[in-house]
Amino acid sequence: MSHADSITLLNLEFNSSCNLRCKWCSLDHGKERKVMPREVLEKVMEEVGSGVFKNLRRIDLHNGGETLLHPELPGMLSVIRRHRPSIPSSVTIGLLTNGMLLTPKVSEQICRSRAVTQVRFSIDGGSPAAFESIRKGAKWDVVRRNVQSFMEINRRSKVPVQTEIICMIPAEGVPDNKLDPDFAALLQLADKVSVRNPHNWDGSVDLGVDDSGYRVIAEQRLGEVCFLLQKNLVVLPDGKVTVCCNDLNERGVFGSVLENTLGELAAHPVRQAMIRAFKEGRKDEIELCRGCTGFYAPNPGGK
């Protein structure tokens, strides 16, 4: 099996900045904002369409930044739509958003584009108050209204996309183990809800969360390669490539799609050396990975 055959998850970061300052996010808001030009997206989609990744399952249009901040989102979606016939229908093309910029106009653009097959929303906390406390800068009423509007527009679409809400809940849970009724009602609108606990997977910043459960798993699976390192590649807005979608701050960059093919990047000596280090129990020797718990579940489903 070639190294390219191991890649099942590909992230394309349209925009590197974010309009929120979430409590459990390690994104460095002081770094230079970058926006992906169409030329980079065209090159990547042409290679993906050629079948370079035979086992690809997902293309996600995000990494650390908010995708809807891209100033030419309709044009970017049109590039993907044009290349979709050359991509197997089994490959999910997903857009993840915090919902603050998802106006009815943007929702119509996404649904009409026929570019993506799934839209996901990050909605944390378990109640409106907890949501605004965790997702600093977000307004519950705005996000709820935007998500409800998208769901209605999507329902009327000729080809509706799948929807999912990713909900981070504190490790200690919510009061009385019950979600707020308004919060629960919004979650029920989605086709799927994924509930997760906060984590320090990026490893560059201590977010003050209890991720001891993740660390126990990492210790038990010493010598096993992190799922994301083994299966994921991330193309950043300027074409640079990093090893996984938990690297929000470009610390693991090892190449560029402007200089290498995707197949060459999958087989790159730097990436392969990292994989060998995991197999030999030397994870702590990797600067990018030593502070991260790693991901060992069979299917990350996104973040």
Side-chain angles (χ1 to χ4, degrees):
M1 183 175 74
S2 73
H3 296 298
D5 290 346
S6 68
I7 302 299
T8 61
L9 311 171
L10 179 66
N11 286 68
L12 309 178
E13 185 173 55
F14 277 18
N15 167 73
S16 67
S17 63
C18 190
N19 53 328
L20 302 185
R21 299 294 185 269
C22 297
K23 180 179 180 180
W24 295 326
C25 179
S26 58
L27 182 65
D28 177 7
H29 296 283
K31 68 179 183 178
E32 177 188 3
R33 180 195 179 193
K34 298 177 183 177
V35 174
M36 182 178 286
R38 289 199 201 188
E39 294 76 15
V40 170
L41 181 60
E42 284 276 10
K43 186 176 188 302
V44 172
M45 295 305 295
E46 285 177 6
E47 288 197 53
V48 172
S50 73
V52 60
F53 297 140
K54 293 182 175 60
N55 296 309
L56 190 65
R57 291 193 293 106
R58 292 192 64 93
I59 300 173
D60 283 307
L61 311 181
H62 72 276
N63 193 46
E66 167 57 41
T67 303
L68 300 190
L69 279 170
H70 196 290
E72 298 179 7
L73 182 65
M76 296 292 279
L77 293 177
S78 71
V79 171
I80 293 176
R81 178 68 184 95
R82 187 157 30 83
H83 286 278
R84 266 195 63 183
S86 63
I87 297 171
S89 60
S90 58
V91 176
T92 297
I93 302 178
L95 187 155
L96 174 67
T97 178
N98 60 45
M100 280 295 291
L101 304 175
L102 191 68
T103 62
K105 178 180 179 180
V106 174
S107 293
E108 291 278 6
Q109 290 172 345
I110 292 171
C111 290
R112 283 202 310 266
S113 74
R114 305 273 294 275
V116 302
T117 60
Q118 182 189 59
V119 173
R120 297 186 292 173
F121 313 93
S122 294
I123 302 178
D124 304 331
S127 71
F131 169 83
E132 292 189 355
S133 174
I134 294 166
R135 303 193 68 79
K136 299 182 185 304
K139 300 300 181 184
W140 169 255
D141 287 340
V142 173
V143 171
R144 177 177 59 178
R145 182 172 63 249
N146 287 348
V147 172
Q148 289 173 335
S149 175
F150 178 87
M151 295 298 189
E152 178 59 26
I153 291 169
N154 184 49
R155 186 185 65 79
R156 299 196 309 263
S157 176
K158 291 182 179 179
V159 185
V161 302
Q162 291 294 302
T163 58
E164 179 180 0
I165 290 176
I166 298 174
C167 180
M168 298 281 276
I169 297 291
E172 63 271 20
V174 296
D176 301 320
N177 293 317
K178 292 183 179 180
L179 297 177
D180 175 272
D182 286 346
F183 194 95
L186 187 62
L187 265 56
Q188 289 172 2
L189 296 178
D191 297 317
K192 179 181 178 182
V193 176
S194 296
V195 178
R196 304 173 185 174
N197 295 136
H199 52 73
N200 283 304
W201 285 341
D202 173 83
S204 64
V205 180
D206 184 355
L207 300 176
V209 300
D210 178 7
D211 62 356
S212 56
Y214 292 115
R215 295 190 180 278
V216 167
I217 294 173
E219 291 171 2
Q220 292 173 341
R221 299 170 81 163
L222 185 66
E224 183 176 337
V225 182
C226 169
F227 182 91
L228 292 175
L229 175 59
Q230 196 170 32
K231 302 291 186 181
N232 189 204
L233 283 180
V234 180
V235 180
L236 300 171
D238 57 3
K240 292 179 181 176
V241 175
T242 186
V243 292
C244 87
C245 60
N246 284 332
D247 178 21
L248 302 189
N249 296 314
E250 302 184 30
R251 296 185 301 131
V253 169
F254 65 92
S256 169
V257 297
L258 302 179
E259 301 172 0
N260 315 97
T261 67
L262 290 173
E264 290 170 345
L265 290 162
H268 197 283
V270 171
R271 180 172 178 270
Q272 294 308 312
M274 294 174 71
I275 290 174
R276 282 197 303 274
F278 263 83
K279 290 179 178 178
E280 295 168 3
R282 297 184 290 108
K283 168 180 173 285
D284 288 347
E285 295 180 12
I286 307 172
E287 183 179 356
L288 174 67
C289 303
R290 70 167 63 103
C292 176
T293 57
F295 197 101
Y296 298 94
N299 180 5
K303 61 180 194 305

